[in-house]
Amino acid sequence: HGNKLVIPKQWYQRRVRAERIRQLHKIVAAAQKGQTALKELTVWLGGLFSQEAYFTATRQSVAQCKGYSLEELKLQVSVHSSAVDLDSSSFGMSGLKLMGAVHANGKLAITEDIMTDLVYTKISWVRDQDMEKRSGKQITLPVYLNNTRTTLVETLKFCTDQDKFYERGVAILCTPLS
């Protein structure tokens, strides 16, 4: 069958478990150092046990820190090629996969690639009145746990100049595993 390398599913699952354990150790170590260290931690969303809880916890953290009500806070997202500085309202995530689109120059665009990496994603919880007014079109994309698309985790808004994202089934995955 040619030179196609097939990795046994068990090996891949072991690697993912090892990554999860490594992340849990980082979270525990950061938690022992205090809230500042925990906040500065870049999280692999696909390696968490409850991705929805992460979004809820980050929102609650910002509301408590700033003295805002939860209802005042809206989610703002930006994608970067490497880690960026975070303020008290922001959190960093790695390992997200974008299906059917690519993020370049601050905008989403349709691509023929099946999946592209969102290397570093910064989420910020911002009061509606303080949100950056973004010019141009925005698209709201679903964030699913994995490629089965049965578990919706969150929705994120991105800038774009194009249409047809929904028709092409563009979505974000926390992990490419099913």
Side-chain angles (χ1 to χ4, degrees):
H1 298 316
N3 293 330
K4 187 175 179 183
L5 177 64
V6 178
I7 299 173
K9 191 174 184 178
Q10 297 86 353
W11 290 9
Y12 193 67
Q13 289 172 339
R14 278 190 210 125
R15 193 182 115 232
V16 169
R17 273 193 295 259
E19 288 296 320
R20 264 193 170 157
I21 290 168
R22 199 170 302 127
Q23 176 166 275
L24 286 173
H25 284 296
K26 286 180 186 177
I27 291 170
V28 168
Q32 290 171 343
K33 291 179 185 174
Q35 187 164 352
T36 304
L38 194 56
K39 190 176 157 338
E40 293 171 354
L41 188 68
T42 299
V43 172
W44 167 44
L45 199 59
L48 297 177
F49 292 112
S50 177
Q51 293 73 21
E52 300 94 333
Y54 178 75
F55 284 97
T56 302
T58 58
R59 187 178 191 186
Q60 289 172 339
S61 173
V62 171
Q64 183 179 17
C65 175
K66 302 274 189 174
Y68 301 151
S69 71
L70 292 172
E71 294 76 25
E72 289 181 272
L73 297 174
K74 304 292 182 222
L75 191 56
Q76 192 166 315
V77 64
S78 59
V79 178
H80 308 272
S81 57
S82 62
V84 296
D85 289 336
L86 302 172
D87 60 23
S88 62
S89 301
S90 302
F91 301 85
M93 298 184 300
S94 64
L96 295 178
K97 306 292 183 187
L98 183 57
M99 291 192 70
V102 64
H103 190 276
N105 303 319
K107 295 183 179 181
L108 285 186
I110 298 291
T111 182
E112 294 302 316
D113 295 337
I114 294 171
M115 201 175 305
T116 58
D117 292 329
L118 296 178
V119 177
Y120 186 86
T121 305
K122 175 182 163 184
I123 60 167
S124 303
W125 289 102
V126 183
R127 286 194 311 177
D128 201 22
Q129 67 224 42
D130 299 333
M131 287 200 62
E132 294 174 16
K133 299 300 177 212
R134 297 182 175 182
S135 60
K137 285 192 263 185
Q138 285 198 326
I139 183 85
T140 301
L141 292 182
V143 179
Y144 293 109
L145 175 60
N146 57 35
N147 62 8
T148 64
R149 297 183 181 213
T150 55
T151 305
L152 178 67
V153 173
E154 184 62 68
T155 58
L156 299 177
K157 286 187 179 185
F158 293 90
C159 293
T160 185
D161 292 331
Q162 298 179 331
D163 295 314
K164 307 265 188 239
F165 287 94
Y166 298 127
E167 294 90 333
R168 302 225 9 186
V170 173
I172 299 167
L173 306 179
C174 296
T175 178
L177 303 175
S178 54

